[in-house]
Amino acid sequence: MSEERKPMEELTIKFGKGLVEDFTGKDGKEYKRILIPNNDPEDHSPWASFVLPAKMVHENQYGNGLWAKIPAEAHTTVTKPERIEGFDGETIWETHKSSVPNAELKAMVEAYKTRTPQDRESDGRKSARAKLGAMVKETAEKLSPEHKYPRVRGSTLER
């Protein structure tokens, strides 16, 4: 009567070190809070987060990122701070909790992978390589032949 156990299917989620906060729970165990950046660059609301035990989060082989394996069929609680107007116009922050399937959680955490290069350039930043040609032309225009060498008064460099 031996029952064969099916191996539990797992998902690997990958995220940067800057998205992790360490803390100790009320039970004395170590945990890591993983922040989920907003998918929309125009959304400036606080980021959502979820918590995993510290022993489930591992550093990748290059030392610049982290990863964790989570069960594929399970759900994880995601919390997000929400701003609510209270009485007398005062601001009250409440935490909204929701249960998210782990497959959807992986998509939320790794949303940066789905952005197209056009989306990356539209956020106001351009690569230095893209700007290099314009910078070379601009610098060449600024340096005219008569200002090619520095002028230091009272020295032999003066021309």
Side-chain angles (χ1 to χ4, degrees), residues 80-131:
K80 182 168 176 84
E82 291 183 347
R83 186 174 149 179
I84 299 172
E85 291 294 325
F87 297 111
D88 301 331
E90 65 183 57
T91 303
I92 300 172
W93 288 94
E94 288 186 355
T95 304
H96 179 263
K97 293 183 181 183
S98 59
S99 181
V100 176
N102 284 347
E104 188 178 324
L105 178 69
K106 177 180 171 76
M108 290 168 61
V109 172
E110 297 180 357
Y112 66 91
K113 292 181 179 180
T114 61
R115 289 179 22 185
T116 61
Q118 292 82 17
D119 292 341
R120 291 184 191 136
E121 289 180 9
S122 68
D123 65 2
R125 297 183 302 181
K126 291 186 179 178
S127 69
R129 183 176 284 177
K131 294 185 215 173

Side-chain angles (χ1 to χ4, degrees), residues 1-91:
M1 289 198 177
S2 67
E3 294 181 24
E4 290 186 31
R5 294 180 108 189
K6 291 188 224 174
M8 186 171 32
E9 212 173 307
E10 294 182 321
L11 296 172
T12 302
I13 54 175
K14 299 175 184 176
F15 42 91
K17 285 184 172 181
L19 299 176
V20 177
E21 299 172 351
D22 297 333
F23 71 96
T24 304
K26 291 179 182 177
D27 57 359
K29 296 180 182 177
E30 295 294 319
Y31 294 97
K32 294 192 184 273
R33 175 177 291 113
I34 295 115
L35 300 172
I36 305 170
N38 296 328
N39 198 12
D40 181 17
E42 298 299 318
D43 184 7
H44 298 291
S45 64
W47 291 355
S49 65
F50 64 99
V51 175
L52 291 175
K55 64 183 179 180
M56 286 181 65
V57 178
H58 310 283
E59 192 171 307
N60 70 6
Q61 66 186 14
Y62 304 109
N64 58 0
L66 300 171
W67 60 273
K69 285 195 180 247
I70 55 176
E73 300 299 322
H75 288 67
T76 302
T77 302
V78 174
T79 59
K80 182 168 176 84
E82 291 183 347
R83 186 174 149 179
I84 299 172
E85 291 294 325
F87 297 111
D88 301 331
E90 65 183 57
T91 303

